[in-house]
RNA sequence: UCCAGAGUAGCUCAAUGGUAGAGCAGCCGGCUGUUAACCGGCGGGUUACAGGUUCGAGCCCUGUCUCUGGAGCCA
């Protein structure tokens, strides 16, 4: 019966009759015996295994090279040498699968770029093992956060006919051959269909029935974006709350990010220590700071004023009515506030149709949470719940209200103020781990021109 | 998609237009309760691809591809 190395290393006393199975990280030969560093991915640390030359199976030792898979039976004993608390004395050794000299992962450090080219093997490296264990734990934390607060998890559709306008280009889904635009009514769904760019519109319908809901699933954007923080396929978290205004929305976003930072530090400490050592030396202090301090809340108008008066010369000019450029966002969060910043109440012209118009008639209840190093990590708003205002907004954006009949129905029947946001899971992971390229927090990244694995 | 930079051994990188090198990894040997082990030796190249200039191109020019950084779009 196999025991995971994580459990073996957590042992309180010596144990016998253990079986561990994993991959050889390195082998060091001594006189009459060998040291094996064994890793099975259950934790960052390796298990040091002592294999005496007389151990059954020891004849295979020369083939137990870096990358080979093995099964080892033996006893857990205190290690006489410093460097590890426990080690295993093998009583039986079996080579399961050899790895010859062409195995590309070496004992020494590799560049992130090189590891990306071997995405099928990089989870066997310390860094990517840590990244993907952390990703798994945080996915759990996301559900825990919402479930504890009585949010209902909604599986919004991945294939959709509706365009959540403003969210970017969509991938077409079709069963047609040849010209797919000639007779879209003959297509599988009887209309044009796409991969979802957001579950928001559907989530709103469930919030207007179950009160507090969230989605957590894959999202697709066909934008030709070539940056370290964009992927064509990513996972998005979208809470939606009925009877909630923009203040409540901003409060939830802040609470959520703080909870995730706390979870990472407390529940992923071994892997986080690796990130702090090799990826981002300041990550621990940065997350502590985020947890302890309130986020700065700055209306868009005030943000413009800060940027205009800061004395900094920006490559792109600061002007009311324009979107904040990356350099502006970075200045606000990294230099002016030195903490996450929530910018809210944007001009209506630069935001999508579903955001609620403020009393001033010029701004909408949009909010973006900006974090140091990443930029925008949350984009949200209070939704327009007034039927006439929403219809006018649709026309304002040159959209046909008929295409949004079911969305408008929510405003016809028992309409309520409601609000929500979208949060990129990968960007959250980047923020929490310090990993600076989104391709390195996705198991198999999909980006323009790249879907090899 | 735009701007900038890069592409040389398995990996990380050197090399005034004049014989393509080092460290690490690998292999062989030695030593050792070792731990990014150590010491000695050996093999390893269509210099991303396609053209061009030149007596001669890794180096200069043109095009293509890929990667990196920045920008736009956004989460």
């Amino acid at each position: 019966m196999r025991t995971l190395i994580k459990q073996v290393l957590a042992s309180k006393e010596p144990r016998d009759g253990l079986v561990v199975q994993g991959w050889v990280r390195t082998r060091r030969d001594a006189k009459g015996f060998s040291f094996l560093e064994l890793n099975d991915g259950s934790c960052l640390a390796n298990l040091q295994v002592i294999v005496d030359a007389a151990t059954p199976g020891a004849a295979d030792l020369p083939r137990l090279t870096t990358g080979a898979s093995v099964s080892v039976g033996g006893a857990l004993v205190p290690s006489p040498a410093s460097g590890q608390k426990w080690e295993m004395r093998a009583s039986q050794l079996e080579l399961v699968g050899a790895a010859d000299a062409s195995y590309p992962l070496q004992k020494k450090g590799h560049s992130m770029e090189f590891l990306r080219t071997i995405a099928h093997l990089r989870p066997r490296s310390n860094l990517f093992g840590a990244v993907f264990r952390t990703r798994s734990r945080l996915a759990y934390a996301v559900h825990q956060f919402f479930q504890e607060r009585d949010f209902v998890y909604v599986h919004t559709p991945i294939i959709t006919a509706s365009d959540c306008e403003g969210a970017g280009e969509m991938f077409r889904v079709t069963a047609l051959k040849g010209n797919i635009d000639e007779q879209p009514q003959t297509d599988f769904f009887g209309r044009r269909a796409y991969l979802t760019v957001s579950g928001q519109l559907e989530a709103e319908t469930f919030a207007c029935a179950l009160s507090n809901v969230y989605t957590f699933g894959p999202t697709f954007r066909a934008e030709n974006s070539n940056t370290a923080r964009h992927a064509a396929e990513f996972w998005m978290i979208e809470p939606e709350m009925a009877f909630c205004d923009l203040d409540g929305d901003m409060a939830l976003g802040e609470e959520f990010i703080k909870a995730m930072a706390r979870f990472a530090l407390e529940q992923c400490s071994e892997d986080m220590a690796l990130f702090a050592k090799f990826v981002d030396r300041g990550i621990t202090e940065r997350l502590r700071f985020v947890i302890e301090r309130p986020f700065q809340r700055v209306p868009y108008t005030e943000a413009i004023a800060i940027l205009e008066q800061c004395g900094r010369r920006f490559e792109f000019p600061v002007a009311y009515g324009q979107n904040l450029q990356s350099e502006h966002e970075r200045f606000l969060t990294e230099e002016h506030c030195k903490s996450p910043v929530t910018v809210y109440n944007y001009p209506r012209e630069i935001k999508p149709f579903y955001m609620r118009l403020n009393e001033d008639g010029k701004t909408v209840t949009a909010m973006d949470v900006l974090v140091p190093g990443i930029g925008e990590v949350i984009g949200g708003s209070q939704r327009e719940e007034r039927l006439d205002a929403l219809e006018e907004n649709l026309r304002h954006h040159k959209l046909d209200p008929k295409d949004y009949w079911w969305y408008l129905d929510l405003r016809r029947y028992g309409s309520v103020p409601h609000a929500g946001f979208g949060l990129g899971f990968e960007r959250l992971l980047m923020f929490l781990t310090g990993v600076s390229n989104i391709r390195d927090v996705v198991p198999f990244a999909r980006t323009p021109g790249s879907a090899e694995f």
Side-chain angles (χ1 to χ4, degrees):
Chain A
M1 184 67 174
R2 178 193 189 190
T3 306
L4 291 174
I5 288 172
K6 179 185 181 181
Q7 292 152 9
V8 171
L9 291 176
S11 193
K12 293 278 187 281
E13 64 269 337
R15 294 169 67 181
D16 205 352
L18 283 175
V19 175
V20 297
Q21 298 170 313
W23 293 266
V24 175
R25 283 296 174 77
T26 181
R27 187 191 82 227
R28 292 180 295 273
D29 296 324
K31 200 169 197 68
F33 64 100
S34 292
F35 298 96
L36 290 181
E37 292 280 343
L38 205 60
N39 187 285
D40 65 4
S42 62
C43 61
L44 179 64
N46 301 325
L47 176 65
Q48 175 164 284
V49 180
I50 315 299
V51 184
D52 194 86
T55 304
D60 275 331
L61 272 173
R63 294 171 68 208
L64 293 189
T65 52
T66 303
S69 53
V70 294
S71 185
V72 187
L76 188 73
V77 299
S79 178
S82 63
Q84 59 282 317
K85 187 179 175 192
W86 296 109
E87 65 185 27
M88 188 167 174
R89 290 209 150 274
S91 57
Q92 194 271 333
L93 177 69
E94 183 193 348
L95 172 65
V96 177
D100 69 17
S102 66
Y103 182 66
L105 277 172
Q106 300 171 4
K107 289 180 251 184
K108 309 252 168 175
H110 287 293
S111 67
M112 305 285 262
E113 290 80 15
F114 170 69
L115 290 168
R116 253 174 242 154
T117 68
I118 50 167
H120 59 308
L121 295 174
R122 69 177 182 170
R124 299 193 196 182
S125 68
N126 284 338
L127 178 65
F128 284 97
V131 165
F132 295 120
R133 273 188 303 273
T134 302
R135 182 178 172 119
S136 166
R137 296 293 294 149
L138 279 155
Y140 169 77
V142 167
H143 286 295
Q144 185 185 50
F145 176 89
F146 288 115
Q147 297 284 339
E148 280 176 352
R149 287 163 180 77
D150 289 321
F151 279 62
V152 176
Y153 180 32
V154 181
H155 293 120
T156 51
I158 289 167
I159 298 173
T160 178
S162 60
D163 182 357
C164 193
E165 178 256 352
E169 291 296 311
M170 304 180 83
F171 285 104
R172 185 79 175 273
V173 175
T174 184
L176 292 175
K177 309 263 193 290
N179 187 343
I180 61 172
D181 285 316
E182 218 161 70
Q183 288 186 299
Q185 70 275 13
T186 66
D187 204 345
F188 189 88
F189 297 106
R191 61 199 304 164
R192 287 186 178 86
Y194 308 89
L195 292 178
T196 184
V197 292
S198 167
Q200 180 199 317
L201 302 189
E202 290 91 347
E204 281 186 52
T205 72
F206 270 70
C208 293
L210 305 178
S211 288
N212 293 332
V213 304
Y214 70 104
T215 76
F216 182 16
T219 308
F220 307 88
R221 305 273 167 93
E223 293 292 337
N224 190 13
S225 297
N226 283 289
T227 80
R229 58 188 187 284
H230 287 88
E233 176 183 311
F234 63 99
W235 281 58
M236 189 151 66
I237 298 151
E238 296 179 287
E240 192 73 31
M241 296 171 286
F243 302 99
C244 181
D245 61 11
L246 188 68
D247 280 338
D249 202 30
M250 291 192 285
L252 184 79
E254 180 170 344
E255 195 183 344
F256 178 79
I257 287 177
K258 286 178 169 171
M260 294 304 108
R262 204 176 296 119
F263 186 97
L265 288 179
E266 290 173 2
Q267 306 288 317
C268 310
S269 53
E270 187 189 29
D271 291 327
M272 288 297 292
L274 181 82
F275 304 140
K277 193 171 178 188
F278 292 112
V279 179
D280 182 348
R281 290 203 162 276
I283 190 71
T284 309
E285 296 86 289
R286 181 138 47 84
L287 294 187
R288 288 229 173 87
F289 184 90
V290 164
I291 291 166
E292 287 162 11
R293 301 286 207 80
F295 289 13
Q296 304 291 307
R297 291 191 193 175
V298 183
Y300 170 88
T301 309
E302 197 180 306
I304 294 293
I306 290 169
L307 293 165
E308 281 174 337
Q309 291 159 20
C310 69
R312 170 73 61 99
R313 284 242 297 281
F314 293 105
E315 189 185 344
F316 294 91
V318 177
Y320 183 91
Q322 300 289 303
N323 260 313
L324 296 178
Q325 303 288 322
S326 285
E327 56 173 344
H328 304 150
E329 294 182 345
R330 291 179 73 105
F331 176 82
L332 287 171
T333 183
E334 291 171 10
E335 296 185 50
H336 184 77
C337 299
K338 292 191 170 63
S339 79
V341 184
T342 309
V343 181
Y344 64 100
N345 284 351
Y346 285 74
R348 70 182 297 198
E349 284 74 22
I350 57 175
K351 290 293 179 183
F353 71 90
Y354 50 76
M355 295 187 177
R356 190 181 196 277
L357 190 63
N358 279 313
E359 305 308 318
D360 59 16
K362 292 187 298 191
T363 61
V364 291
T365 54
M367 65 107 171
D368 287 351
V369 176
L370 316 175
V371 297
I374 312 291
E376 184 180 341
V377 70
I378 285 181
S381 69
Q382 185 177 340
R383 321 307 189 186
E384 182 57 79
E385 86 282 11
R386 297 163 297 190
L387 181 61
D388 51 348
L390 183 57
E391 286 178 326
E392 196 219 305
N393 254 349
L394 282 166
R395 285 190 289 271
H396 191 78
H397 285 82
K398 297 194 165 41
L399 297 167
D400 188 349
K402 282 206 293 291
D403 292 338
Y404 293 85
W405 66 272
W406 55 267
Y407 188 70
L408 290 164
D409 265 5
L410 298 178
R411 281 75 183 169
R412 285 192 185 95
Y413 309 118
S415 187
V416 293
H418 59 291
F421 61 77
L423 181 147
F425 185 53
E426 284 78 8
R427 287 192 185 171
L428 176 69
L429 287 172
M430 293 166 70
F431 178 62
L432 297 176
T433 62
V435 171
S436 59
N437 195 310
I438 198 168
R439 294 180 254 273
D440 299 326
V441 296
V442 182
F444 299 101
R446 270 78 183 101
T447 52
S450 177
E452 169 79 13
F453 297 94

